[in-house]
Amino acid sequence: MAKTGHFLHNSAHAVNILANTTYATARSHDITNLGTAGGGILNRAYYLRTLYVKLDTIAGPSATPTLTVRLTRDSAGNDTVVGDVTASISLGVTTSSEGAVTVAIDFVYSHNSVGGALPDNNLFLFWKLDQGTAQVRRIELTTEE
């Protein structure tokens, strides 16, 4: 029997990657696997719903620290899907060197091929802080089909 209704998927990743004030491929992460070039689920549309990023070891932040994130189709960060979104870091209540951001994306995305070229099947998250440094420890992307 065919699936009907809405299906939520969560791509969760435990990481330990530096965050500072610039984008760089060394400070990014492959966060999803939307299909495979061998006949998986390419050309299917998804809602990109929410993105959660957990940080710790926050050092030298501004008075109201922010994290800017970007989703791309390529590991080089050049084929942008969701452009720069800046969110305030919600710092811990008892530990101000820990915090998180949650971003509502709500974007319909179809990971398809263009002109016969198969795309990389993943999305890549890039990030940067407005000031200081931190460690990105957890990334979650929720999608819906």
Side-chain angles (χ1 to χ4, degrees):
M1 180 185 295
K3 292 193 256 180
T4 60
H6 296 271
F7 301 94
L8 295 175
H9 306 280
N10 185 33
S11 179
H13 305 265
V15 297
N16 183 11
I17 305 172
L18 177 71
N20 66 15
T21 58
T22 60
Y23 286 129
T25 57
R27 291 183 300 278
S28 66
H29 189 69
D30 173 353
I31 60 170
T32 61
N33 188 353
L34 297 175
T36 63
I41 51 177
L42 291 173
N43 301 316
R44 181 178 288 172
Y46 291 85
Y47 283 102
L48 302 178
R49 289 296 190 193
T50 57
L51 177 68
Y52 167 82
V53 180
K54 167 83 169 100
L55 303 113
D56 69 12
T57 322
I58 299 170
S62 60
T64 55
T66 62
L67 182 73
T68 302
V69 294
R70 172 187 300 185
L71 285 172
T72 69
R73 285 170 57 120
D74 67 321
S75 61
N78 298 320
D79 191 0
T80 301
V81 173
V82 176
D84 293 1
V85 177
T86 300
S88 295
I89 299 172
S90 296
L91 297 174
V93 172
T94 60
T95 306
S96 62
S97 63
E98 295 183 14
V101 299
T102 303
V103 176
I105 301 171
D106 201 26
F107 176 73
V108 178
Y109 174 65
S110 179
H111 201 76
N112 58 17
S113 59
V114 178
L118 291 173
D120 189 317
N121 296 313
N122 302 323
L123 290 176
F124 297 85
L125 178 67
F126 288 80
W127 56 80
K128 64 181 180 178
L129 295 166
D130 65 321
Q131 186 175 316
T133 61
Q135 292 296 121
V136 174
R137 298 295 184 175
R138 184 165 183 83
I139 301 166
E140 295 184 27
L141 176 67
T142 303
T143 60
E144 179 181 352
E145 62 173 307

